[in-house]
């Protein structure tokens, strides 16, 4: 029986208030409107961004809400005007979009779509300013345009990457956020040359993906910097060759790195959001050609301070958003890297739980246990 044009009743994990365990509820999911797509989610994973906004410390709390944004699924139905997707297509929902019409989308130099750029405060669809989820008539708000902690979700067509149907969704779903962010920060922005040295600050999932990018690029030295010594052993699987724990040294870590490398690394990638790590990442690159890339998101009132001579000495400081990937244009090719065995994603996946136990994934993340937990919707 076709569900096209019908409201679908399904299970979703609803966050009713900040920091409280999610509740599996029966929700109603309205059909997609113009330029929208309804997707059956098969696998989703938990990213730190979900936890950050679920805790709602320091941002606008929007509740009740359905979180989730790293996922893989299959198109169930499409709204008016959607031409490049059809029912049955395999897709990865992405927290930022690509409308293909605005200046950034038409530029080869930017992926900051004016229409669909991430908006963490908006809990409704662009088309009509309303939510597509409800429980007994009460609207349940969306999260960054994806809301994948639901068996069905409605997403703007510009936030869906159509991928190879042969790709295993329980693996490649992690490519829709953190892994691509770290990988792209190195491959697309830092661009280390073969045989070069790279320092990676922060060895969580994004930092390890940045290290993986350095390994793929052929860097000969990949120095991991983290305050948690337990992460060092795991990081070897991602190509990290040396480790520094800033707590073990009496001088700034940038000075330690400069001594280890004869003046500084060729490239650095910062994946923590800590201002001190950002300064260290910039100040640890070599004069003349060093490039530092900032990935981590700082606190709202943070300010970055360094001496202008660091720039005049021909060091470069860059920022990146989602690894400079355009979601619809570029993410399918990242999936192909996995399919061609150039990129390993299995090593990022450390846990798996059925949808009914989604709160366990939050426990793992809060304890700092593992990297990515896959949530199986149909288990």
């Amino acid at each position: 029986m076709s569900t096209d044009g019908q409201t679908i009743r399904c299970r979703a994990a609803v966050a009713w208030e900040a920091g409280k365990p999610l509740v599996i509820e029966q929700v109603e999911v309205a059909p997609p409107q113009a330029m929208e797509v309804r997707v059956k989610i098969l696998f989703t994973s938990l990213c730190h961004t979900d936890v950050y906004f679920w805790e709602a410390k320091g941002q606008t709390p929007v509740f009740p809400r359905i979180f989730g944004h790293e996922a893989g699924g299959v198109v169930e139905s499409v709204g008016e005007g959607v031409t490049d997707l059809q029912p049955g297509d395999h897709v990865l929902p992405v927290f930022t979009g690509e409308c293909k019409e605005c200046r950034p989308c038409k530029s080869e130099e930017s992926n900051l779509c004016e229409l669909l750029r991430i908006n963490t405060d908006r809990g409704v669809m662009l088309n009509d300013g309303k939510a597509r989820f409800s429980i007994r008539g009460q609207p349940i708000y969306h999260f960054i345009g994806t809301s994948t902690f639901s068996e069905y979700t409605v997403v703007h067509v510009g936030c869906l990457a159509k991928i190879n149907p042969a790709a295993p969704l329980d693996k490649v779903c992690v490519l829709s956020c953190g892994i691509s962010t770290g990988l792209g920060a190195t491959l697309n922005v830092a661009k280390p040359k073969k045989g070069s040295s790279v320092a990676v600050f922060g060895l969580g999932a994004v930092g390890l993906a940045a290290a993986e990018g350095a390994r793929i690029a052929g860097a000969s030295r990949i120095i991991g910097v983290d305050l948690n010594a337990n992460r060092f052993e795991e990081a070897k699987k991602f190509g990290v060759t040396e480790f520094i724990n800033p707590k073990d040294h009496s001088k700034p870590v940038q000075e330690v790195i400069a001594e280890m490398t004869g003046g500084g690394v060729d490239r650095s990638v910062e994946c923590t959001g800590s201002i001190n790590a950002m300064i260290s990442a910039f100040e640890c690159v070599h004069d003349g050609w060093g490039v530092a890339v900032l990935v981590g998101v700082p606190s709202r009132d943070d300010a970055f301070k360094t001496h202008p001579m660091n720039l005049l000495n021909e060091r470069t400081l860059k920022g990146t958003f989602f690894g400079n990937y355009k979601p619809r244009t570029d993410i399918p090719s990242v999936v192909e890297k996995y399919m061609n065995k150039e990129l390993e994603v299995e090593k990022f996946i450390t846990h798996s739980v059925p949808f009914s136990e989604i709160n366990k994934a939050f426990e793992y993340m809060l304890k700092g246990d593992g990297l990515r937990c896959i949530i199986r919707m149909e288990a």
Side-chain angles (χ1 to χ4, degrees), residues 11-34:
R11 293 182 306 162
V14 177
W16 288 100
E17 51 185 309
K20 293 282 165 56
L22 306 188
V23 182
I24 305 282
E25 304 274 14
Q26 281 286 324
V27 298
E28 298 192 335
V29 186
Q33 295 195 10

Side-chain angles (χ1 to χ4, degrees), residues 177-208:
C177 177
I179 311 308
S180 294
T181 296
L183 189 74
T186 304
L187 293 178
N188 298 337
V189 189
K191 297 180 178 169
K193 295 182 170 68
K194 203 170 168 56
S196 61
S197 56
V198 179
V200 176
F201 288 74
L203 298 176
V206 176
L208 291 173

Side-chain angles (χ1 to χ4, degrees), residues 76-351:
E76 174 270 335
S77 60
V78 301
E80 184 193 334
V82 175
T83 54
D84 53 354
L85 286 174
Q86 56 193 37
D89 284 345
H90 285 216
V91 289
L92 301 183
V94 183
F95 65 89
T96 183
E98 181 186 353
C99 72
K100 299 196 175 184
E101 300 295 328
C102 67
R103 274 186 72 196
C105 280
K106 287 180 173 175
S107 157
E108 288 180 9
E109 298 186 51
S110 175
N111 64 343
L112 300 174
C113 175
E114 287 170 357
L115 178 70
L116 299 169
R117 214 164 134 182
I118 185 170
N119 182 330
T120 55
D121 292 347
R122 188 173 61 229
V124 293
M125 298 301 286
L126 285 171
N127 188 314
D128 59 356
K130 292 180 179 167
R132 300 287 173 265
F133 300 109
S134 61
I135 296 178
R136 293 179 292 280
Q138 178 187 2
I140 308 292
Y141 295 109
H142 296 249
F143 177 62
I144 54 179
T146 51
S147 292
T148 61
F149 294 165
S150 174
E151 291 176 316
Y152 288 87
T153 187
V154 178
V155 181
H156 191 286
V157 66
C159 296
L160 290 167
K162 179 182 172 180
I163 63 161
N164 182 343
L169 289 172
D170 59 331
K171 307 286 192 295
V172 298
C173 63
V174 299
L175 295 175
S176 61
C177 177
I179 311 308
S180 294
T181 296
L183 189 74
T186 304
L187 293 178
N188 298 337
V189 189
K191 297 180 178 169
K193 295 182 170 68
K194 203 170 168 56
S196 61
S197 56
V198 179
V200 176
F201 288 74
L203 298 176
V206 176
L208 291 173
E212 179 79 352
R215 183 188 70 75
I216 291 169
S220 60
R221 292 181 80 178
I222 304 172
I223 301 167
V225 183
D226 201 293
L227 295 168
N228 180 353
N230 298 335
R231 288 181 161 171
F232 293 162
E233 199 53 43
E234 180 81 12
K236 288 178 185 170
K237 296 180 200 166
F238 300 84
V240 174
T241 56
E242 297 154 79
F243 305 103
I244 301 173
N245 186 335
K247 290 192 284 199
D248 295 343
H249 298 274
S250 54
K251 56 183 146 190
V253 71
Q254 53 267 46
E255 291 178 25
V256 177
I257 291 172
E259 284 173 17
M260 285 170 64
T261 55
V265 286
D266 302 311
R267 302 289 186 267
S268 72
V269 186
E270 184 285 321
C271 304
T272 70
S274 148
I275 279 292
N276 289 333
M278 292 179 186
I279 294 166
S280 299
F282 178 50
E283 294 184 354
C284 81
V285 297
H286 204 288
D287 283 358
W289 60 79
V291 178
V293 179
L294 305 186
V295 181
V297 178
S299 298
R300 206 168 25 190
D301 301 327
D302 281 341
F304 181 98
K305 187 180 175 191
T306 190
H307 198 281
M309 278 312 296
N310 289 320
L311 289 156
L312 297 173
N313 285 333
E314 298 176 8
R315 293 173 176 171
T316 302
L317 179 63
K318 290 183 168 187
T320 177
F321 173 73
F322 191 49
N324 281 34
Y325 287 119
K326 291 179 187 272
R328 296 160 87 180
T329 302
D330 299 331
I331 293 305
S333 63
V334 179
V335 171
E336 289 310 309
K337 270 191 200 304
Y338 167 75
M339 296 299 281
N340 298 335
K341 301 195 164 35
E342 294 166 55
L343 167 66
E344 297 173 40
V345 299
E346 283 85 353
K347 56 194 177 185
F348 289 98
I349 298 166
T350 49
H351 296 88

